[in-house]
Amino acid sequence: MSAGKGAKGHRYYDWAFIGLDPGPGGHAGQRWLMVRRHQRTGELAFYRCFTPRPVPLAVLVRVAGRRWTVEERFQTGKGLVGLDQHQVRRWRSWYRWTTLAMLAHAFLVVAALAERTRHPAPSGLIRLTCNEIQHLFAALIAAPARDIGHRLRWSLWRRRHQARARTCHYRRQAAWQP
């Protein structure tokens, strides 16, 4: 089953789950141990799950796949807006820095979504990403370049290259899937 779409397409794994004993006190709900196996490497990952009522494996897999999205957003926040660049010495300064970094990240996400809804990407280009908007923002606004046309052409070249790489990866993944 797929744990959802990732940066390179669907993330297919083999999944298994087993019900666990309710434990002391007999609290209501279902407890599960879910095991994920990477189809090529055989690497295992384990999830301990709780649901108020029985659910199919597909629902547990979908919820487990959402963890990847959360981790990806943390990595994006660290890389693009410096979420991890603060030396924590006092609560107030850490709070201000984190708030500012999250606001910058929200700006990038909203700008990317607005661009995607208003202007769909032309054929052969990936959609504008937060990473690309951050590069353009830094090149065109934060430190204006003398040759803006060059920066915009570079952005188009980069997005076209990423679209080709993604297409090749999807083809290879589709050929590998049973």
Side-chain angles (χ1 to χ4, degrees):
M1 274 187 227
S2 171
K5 283 190 86 168
K8 298 178 180 179
H10 283 280
R11 296 171 288 134
Y12 290 104
Y13 298 98
D14 296 326
W15 296 88
F17 72 128
I18 186 169
L20 299 175
D21 291 335
H27 296 289
Q30 306 287 314
R31 286 163 181 73
W32 305 95
L33 174 64
M34 191 165 57
V35 182
R36 179 189 79 193
R37 184 180 68 184
H38 193 278
Q39 291 180 333
R40 286 183 232 163
T41 64
E43 180 183 349
L44 298 176
F46 301 90
Y47 298 84
R48 187 164 183 243
C49 308
F50 172 81
T51 60
R53 57 188 125 359
V55 295
L57 177 61
V59 172
L60 292 174
V61 168
R62 189 182 49 182
V63 171
R66 298 297 296 170
R67 182 176 147 237
W68 182 84
T69 305
V70 172
E71 287 180 10
E72 182 183 60
R73 291 294 164 232
F74 273 117
Q75 290 299 342
T76 302
K78 289 176 182 179
L80 291 180
V81 297
L83 185 60
D84 62 344
Q85 296 298 316
H86 186 268
Q87 293 181 3
V88 178
R89 299 205 178 163
R90 299 199 182 265
W91 164 256
R92 187 169 291 175
S93 67
W94 174 84
Y95 181 78
R96 287 177 180 167
W97 181 264
T98 302
T99 303
L100 183 62
M102 290 173 65
L103 184 62
H105 191 255
F107 167 78
L108 293 174
V109 170
V110 168
L113 280 173
E115 179 64 24
R116 289 176 187 178
T117 55
R118 289 188 191 131
H119 308 289
S123 177
L125 288 179
I126 65 166
R127 302 180 299 189
L128 271 177
T129 62
C130 292
N131 201 2
E132 191 67 25
I133 291 173
Q134 188 265 353
H135 281 290
L136 288 170
F137 186 79
L140 301 174
I141 296 172
R146 293 182 187 185
D147 186 11
I148 292 175
H150 171 73
R151 297 288 183 166
L152 294 175
R153 287 189 302 276
W154 170 80
S155 176
L156 287 173
W157 175 86
R158 179 177 145 124
R159 291 170 54 206
R160 191 174 302 115
H161 175 73
Q162 290 174 339
R164 278 189 295 229
R166 183 182 60 193
T167 301
C168 291
H169 181 81
Y170 284 176
R171 279 193 205 130
R172 187 172 54 244
Q173 186 184 40
W176 186 80
Q177 285 301 318

